[in-house]
Amino acid sequence: MMALKTDYKDYIPPSGGRKYKITANSDGSSSVEDITQYQQVGDTWGAEDINQVNKLVNGAVYPNLLDNSDYKIAQAGYNGAHGSTGYLCDRWSKYIVTGSMTDDGMLLTPSGAGAWIIQYKLLTDTGLSEGDTVTLTVRVNGTVYSGSATLQIKSAAVDADSMVDTDDIRAAAFIPAGNTDQIAVYIVIKQTCTLTWTKLEKGSVATPYVPKGYGAELAECMRYYQKSEDDLYAVPYGGKSYIVHEFGVPMRVAPTVTLGYSPESREDQTASIYGFTVKFSGSSGLLDSWTASADL
């Protein structure tokens, strides 16, 4: 793509006006040449410049501020739990709705009125603040819907102004009154439908949805939740034994680590954003599972 010129100026002709030279051609036609000595000359603006600007405008994409926006990460399994909270999939907690992944996206089935999914993020992670204009876009049952609103503090999700409202869903973004350092994206599931993706962005214009990719989405989700893949065995030292595990991705804060079964007595455990350590009273130890949660 060419670099756009940046020295455009309005032309200023001399006080006597513009001058043209007319030349007779051999075929009987005439050519007209502008021979004015302009007092100010800038870059010319032509079709190529217009095409380049239009390409930039048409291709403008603003960052999606949501995690797991296409619902493909489910470390605890779809409809699993992160601690005591039910989750549709990573980063999306849920209420009286179940989901299953299909070729078209997340098939959602509510079991009663008032079913919803919701995602919370820290405002500092999004660059947003109260009073900003945000745009929410969803693809539901193959159709894309968008809406914009001013980000406001609301005491309850049901009080948030609708940004998208269809026969299938109602979606809104707001700041919870009880956690004013966060933003929530709240989607009411009115009836069985398929959500392919959801996008939240700053500003009043909906720009194209571009998937971040599985690896990037997984890394974002692992800042909030991680779980074991295999058994962990302790290493003996000084009559005790220890497991020192490093997280695949540093977590956003020191997580709550829940340990599974071990045949040896556990004396102590500590955790940081980088991993956790477990001390056993005997010379051997084993963990068959663990979870680490730093969810909001």
Side-chain angles (χ1 to χ4, degrees):
M1 180 177 292
M2 76 171 191
L4 297 178
K5 293 173 284 189
T6 59
D7 191 34
Y8 296 101
K9 296 181 176 72
D10 292 328
Y11 70 85
I12 300 177
S15 58
R18 287 180 288 188
K19 296 180 179 180
Y20 300 94
K21 179 181 179 182
I22 300 176
T23 303
N25 300 319
S26 59
D27 61 359
S29 64
S30 298
S31 299
V32 179
E33 179 185 0
D34 186 354
I35 60 172
T36 307
Q37 296 296 311
Y38 291 100
Q39 297 178 29
Q40 176 174 282
V41 177
D43 287 331
T44 58
W45 175 260
E48 188 174 9
D49 303 278
I50 295 170
N51 289 336
Q52 290 299 321
V53 170
N54 286 348
K55 287 178 183 178
L56 289 172
V57 172
N58 291 338
V61 176
Y62 292 91
N64 190 349
L65 302 176
L66 296 175
D67 301 322
N68 202 15
S69 58
D70 54 7
Y71 311 102
K72 291 181 179 178
I73 310 298
Q75 295 182 83
Y78 289 110
N79 310 301
H82 295 188
S84 60
T85 303
Y87 271 74
L88 173 73
C89 54
D90 278 62
R91 306 292 298 115
W92 293 98
S93 56
K94 70 185 185 77
Y95 176 70
I96 61 171
V97 63
T98 57
S100 59
M101 184 55 71
T102 72
D103 290 341
D104 297 323
M106 178 62 66
L107 176 63
L108 295 163
T109 304
S111 57
W116 49 254
I117 62 175
I118 197 167
Q119 180 174 140
Y120 297 95
K121 290 202 73 170
L122 291 175
L123 288 171
T124 52
D125 287 345
T126 65
L128 297 172
S129 58
E130 182 185 1
D132 284 343
T133 299
V134 293
T135 296
L136 190 62
T137 307
V138 299
R139 187 174 190 265
V140 57
N141 287 344
T143 302
V144 176
Y145 301 93
S146 294
S148 301
T150 300
L151 198 53
Q152 299 176 336
I153 296 174
K154 297 292 182 180
S155 58
V158 295
D159 297 330
D161 296 333
S162 297
M163 298 168 71
V164 174
D165 197 353
T166 75
D167 291 340
D168 301 305
I169 67 163
R170 183 177 82 83
F174 66 100
I175 298 173
N179 298 97
T180 55
D181 62 338
Q182 300 175 21
I183 182 174
V185 171
Y186 170 70
I187 304 177
V188 176
I189 311 302
K190 299 180 183 180
Q191 60 185 10
T192 299
C193 60
T194 298
L195 272 179
T196 307
W197 48 260
T198 303
K199 181 175 184 179
L200 176 72
E201 58 191 309
K202 188 173 183 177
S204 60
V205 177
T207 62
Y209 174 79
V210 177
K212 298 177 186 178
Y214 187 89
E217 294 282 22
L218 177 60
E220 287 291 335
C221 292
M222 289 175 70
R223 294 180 60 240
Y224 297 83
Y225 180 82
Q226 297 185 40
K227 65 186 292 289
S228 53
E229 299 292 338
D230 300 295
D231 294 342
L232 295 178
Y233 294 89
V235 175
Y237 179 78
K240 305 287 185 178
S241 56
Y242 298 85
I243 288 175
V244 179
H245 180 75
E246 182 178 351
F247 294 135
V249 171
M251 304 193 76
R252 66 174 196 88
V253 295
T256 298
V257 177
T258 302
L259 305 177
Y261 169 78
S262 172
E264 298 288 343
S265 297
R266 299 192 290 263
E267 285 190 356
D268 190 27
Q269 68 182 71
T270 58
S272 73
I273 64 171
Y274 301 108
F276 64 86
T277 301
V278 185
K279 181 171 73 173
F280 296 86
S281 58
S283 58
S284 64
L286 164 70
L287 288 176
D288 67 347
S289 65
W290 58 267
T291 61
S293 178
D295 268 312
L296 292 167

